[in-house]
């Protein structure tokens, strides 16, 4: 894994953990936000809003259903931001 | 400078007595910011049935209602701004969350809450707002992030 990817994943993990009110290390790459952390659509929109703010990007709301775990969030944000990690 | 009286507010918010917690809008800048008041009275339902001989502190206006009143103020700003921009927000207005809330003082019967709210982020049917609540020259609350959403076809009060 590249350093850039590592850094971005850590930043996203931090955001997700803050919104879901858990410790960052509890957020695994493939762990479902809904199944493992009782996330709902309101938490999802909070995660999306914080990411948009931090990276100054617009994420189409149609992407929300896919953003169900950390890896999926990373993939969506990477695509929107043009990350070449 | 846009001001709104209670009759105007009733046309904007779906809430009704006794849970409509915005009395008057002193200043509204569409899409940006709002200042509104809610007068706390001894006849509030939250003071009904309190025991006799309680100290003054028992009459502090509940933080939950203060945050709700702040959220409703933000909703007035959001819905009024949307209407001004020709957008319709159809569905149930829901209080999504309040984060980074610091309560630093209390309001008592006779006090006037003055909320200053600004829109932080708008994402579709979701509005993030932040601001402060004052009583006169005392700031009694700071609200870092309050989320209000409109959702279609669900009963009010379900969070998903």
């Amino acid at each position: 894994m590249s350093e850039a990817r590592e850094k971005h994943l850590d930043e996203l993990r931090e955001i997700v953990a803050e919104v879901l009110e858990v410790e960052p290390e509890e957020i695994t790459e493939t762990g479902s936000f809904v199944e493992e952390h009782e996330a709902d659509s309101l938490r999802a929109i909070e995660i999306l809003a914080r990411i948009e703010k931090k990276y100054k990007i617009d994420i189409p709301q149609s992407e929300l259903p896919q953003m169900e775990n950390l890896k999926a969030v990373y993939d969506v944000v990477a695509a929107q931001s043009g990350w070449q990690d | 400078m846009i001001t709104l009286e209670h009759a105007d507010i009733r046309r904007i918010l779906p809430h009704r007595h006794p849970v409509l917690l915005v009395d008057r809008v002193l200043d509204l800048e569409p899409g940006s910011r709002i200042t509104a008041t809610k007068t706390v009275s001894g006849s509030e339902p939250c003071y009904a049935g309190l025991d006799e001989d309680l100290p003054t502190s028992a009459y502090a206006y509940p933080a939950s209602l203060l945050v709700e009143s702040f959220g409703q103020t933000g909703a007035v700003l959001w819905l009024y701004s949307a209407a001004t921009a020709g957008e319709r927000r159809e569905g149930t207005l829901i209080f999504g969350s309040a984060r980074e809330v610091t309560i630093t003082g209390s309001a008592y019967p006779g006090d006037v809450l003055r909320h200053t709210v600004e829109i932080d982020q708008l994402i579709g049917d979701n509005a993030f707002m932040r601001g402060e609540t004052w009583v006169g020259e005392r700031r009694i609350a700071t609200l870092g992030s309050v989320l209000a959403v409109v959702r279609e076809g669900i009963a009010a009060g379900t969070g998903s």
Side-chain angles (χ1 to χ4, degrees):
Chain A
M1 193 192 297
S2 74
E3 260 178 55
R5 180 183 157 89
E6 189 89 48
K7 175 173 161 288
H8 285 140
L9 270 173
D10 281 345
E11 288 171 353
L12 293 170
R13 182 180 285 115
E14 192 74 35
I15 289 172
V16 170
E18 210 164 82
V19 170
L20 299 182
E21 294 172 20
V22 298
E23 293 301 320
E25 47 272 18
E26 291 181 56
I27 305 289
T28 62
E29 276 197 49
T30 54
S32 159
F33 299 154
V34 173
E35 305 286 322
E36 295 186 16
H37 305 292
E38 294 167 4
D40 58 25
S41 66
L42 293 173
R43 299 293 85 83
I45 202 76
E46 285 190 273
I47 291 168
L48 182 121
R50 286 177 184 224
I51 290 171
E52 286 197 346
K53 206 174 197 175
K54 179 171 177 67
Y55 297 110
K56 297 181 175 61
I57 53 171
D58 281 326
I59 300 170
Q61 275 193 77
S62 54
E63 301 278 7
L64 259 184
Q66 295 171 48
M67 296 165 71
E68 59 188 5
N69 60 37
L70 183 63
K71 187 183 177 307
V73 168
Y74 173 88
D75 290 342
V76 167
V77 179
Q80 289 294 329
S81 310
W83 291 344
Q84 302 292 327
D85 297 351
Chain B
M1 182 147 126
I2 297 164
T3 59
L4 300 171
E5 291 298 326
H6 202 65
D8 305 316
I9 292 165
R10 282 179 59 112
R11 278 189 281 272
I12 297 167
L13 288 180
H15 309 74
R16 288 296 174 263
H17 176 86
V19 288
L20 174 50
L21 304 179
V22 186
D23 289 336
R24 177 180 282 157
V25 173
L26 304 180
D27 185 15
L28 188 159
E29 208 177 293
S32 173
R33 43 183 300 282
I34 187 172
T35 304
T37 60
K38 187 262 182 287
T39 301
V40 176
S41 155
S43 58
E44 302 279 346
C46 62
Y47 300 129
L50 287 185
D51 291 339
E52 295 301 318
D53 303 323
L54 290 172
T56 297
S57 60
Y59 291 88
Y61 192 62
S64 54
L65 294 176
L66 184 146
V67 173
E68 173 66 25
S69 176
F70 178 97
Q72 289 182 19
T73 299
V76 170
L77 169 63
W78 180 32
L79 298 176
Y80 184 95
S81 302
T84 307
E87 300 166 21
R88 289 183 69 84
R89 292 269 169 256
E90 301 262 335
T92 307
L93 183 65
I94 302 167
F95 186 109
S97 67
R99 295 181 182 272
E100 298 151 49
V101 177
T102 316
I103 307 280
T104 49
S106 297
Y108 297 93
D111 283 337
V112 178
L113 301 174
R114 190 174 75 256
H115 305 293
T116 58
V117 189
E118 58 182 35
I119 291 177
D120 186 21
Q121 260 176 301
L122 289 180
I123 302 175
D125 283 338
N126 311 275
F128 291 86
M129 293 160 299
R130 59 167 182 250
E132 298 171 342
T133 300
W134 295 73
V135 172
E137 294 308 297
R138 276 190 306 130
R139 183 176 62 201
I140 64 167
T142 305
L143 299 97
S145 179
V146 172
L147 168 61
V149 308
V150 169
R151 291 288 181 270
E152 274 180 67
I154 57 168
T158 58
S160 48

PDB file of all heavy atoms in Angstrom, chain A residues 37-39 76-77:
ATOM      1  N   HIS A  37     -21.720  -0.918  13.306  1.00  0.00           N
ATOM      2  CA  HIS A  37     -21.709   0.306  14.125  1.00  0.00           C
ATOM      3  C   HIS A  37     -23.060   1.008  14.154  1.00  0.00           C
ATOM      4  O   HIS A  37     -23.141   2.179  14.519  1.00  0.00           O
ATOM      5  CB  HIS A  37     -20.625   1.269  13.617  1.00  0.00           C
ATOM      6  CG  HIS A  37     -19.268   0.642  13.548  1.00  0.00           C
ATOM      7  ND1 HIS A  37     -18.567   0.280  14.674  1.00  0.00           N
ATOM      8  CD2 HIS A  37     -18.507   0.271  12.498  1.00  0.00           C
ATOM      9  CE1 HIS A  37     -17.411  -0.269  14.319  1.00  0.00           C
ATOM     10  NE2 HIS A  37     -17.356  -0.283  13.004  1.00  0.00           N
ATOM     11  N   GLU A  38     -24.105   0.290  13.748  1.00  0.00           N
ATOM     12  CA  GLU A  38     -25.473   0.816  13.821  1.00  0.00           C
ATOM     13  C   GLU A  38     -25.630   2.171  13.128  1.00  0.00           C
ATOM     14  O   GLU A  38     -26.365   3.044  13.591  1.00  0.00           O
ATOM     15  CB  GLU A  38     -25.920   0.931  15.288  1.00  0.00           C
ATOM     16  CG  GLU A  38     -26.041  -0.414  15.961  1.00  0.00           C
ATOM     17  CD  GLU A  38     -26.173  -0.307  17.479  1.00  0.00           C
ATOM     18  OE1 GLU A  38     -26.245   0.836  17.981  1.00  0.00           O
ATOM     19  OE2 GLU A  38     -26.190  -1.341  18.134  1.00  0.00           O
ATOM     20  N   ALA A  39     -24.911   2.343  12.024  1.00  0.00           N
ATOM     21  CA  ALA A  39     -25.041   3.594  11.278  1.00  0.00           C
ATOM     22  C   ALA A  39     -26.419   3.636  10.605  1.00  0.00           C
ATOM     23  O   ALA A  39     -27.021   2.606  10.334  1.00  0.00           O
ATOM     24  CB  ALA A  39     -23.950   3.688  10.223  1.00  0.00           C
ATOM     25  N   VAL A  76     -14.808   5.904  -3.479  1.00  0.00           N
ATOM     26  CA  VAL A  76     -15.652   7.001  -3.973  1.00  0.00           C
ATOM     27  C   VAL A  76     -14.889   8.322  -3.915  1.00  0.00           C
ATOM     28  O   VAL A  76     -14.866   9.097  -4.876  1.00  0.00           O
ATOM     29  CB  VAL A  76     -16.964   7.101  -3.151  1.00  0.00           C
ATOM     30  CG1 VAL A  76     -17.692   8.407  -3.441  1.00  0.00           C
ATOM     31  CG2 VAL A  76     -17.876   5.912  -3.455  1.00  0.00           C
ATOM     32  N   VAL A  77     -14.240   8.581  -2.768  1.00  0.00           N
ATOM     33  CA  VAL A  77     -13.528   9.843  -2.591  1.00  0.00           C
ATOM     34  C   VAL A  77     -12.327   9.918  -3.532  1.00  0.00           C
ATOM     35  O   VAL A  77     -12.055  10.963  -4.132  1.00  0.00           O
ATOM     36  CB  VAL A  77     -13.087  10.035  -1.113  1.00  0.00           C
ATOM     37  CG1 VAL A  77     -12.314  11.339  -0.940  1.00  0.00           C
ATOM     38  CG2 VAL A  77     -14.305  10.021  -0.197  1.00  0.00           C
TER      39      VAL A  77
END
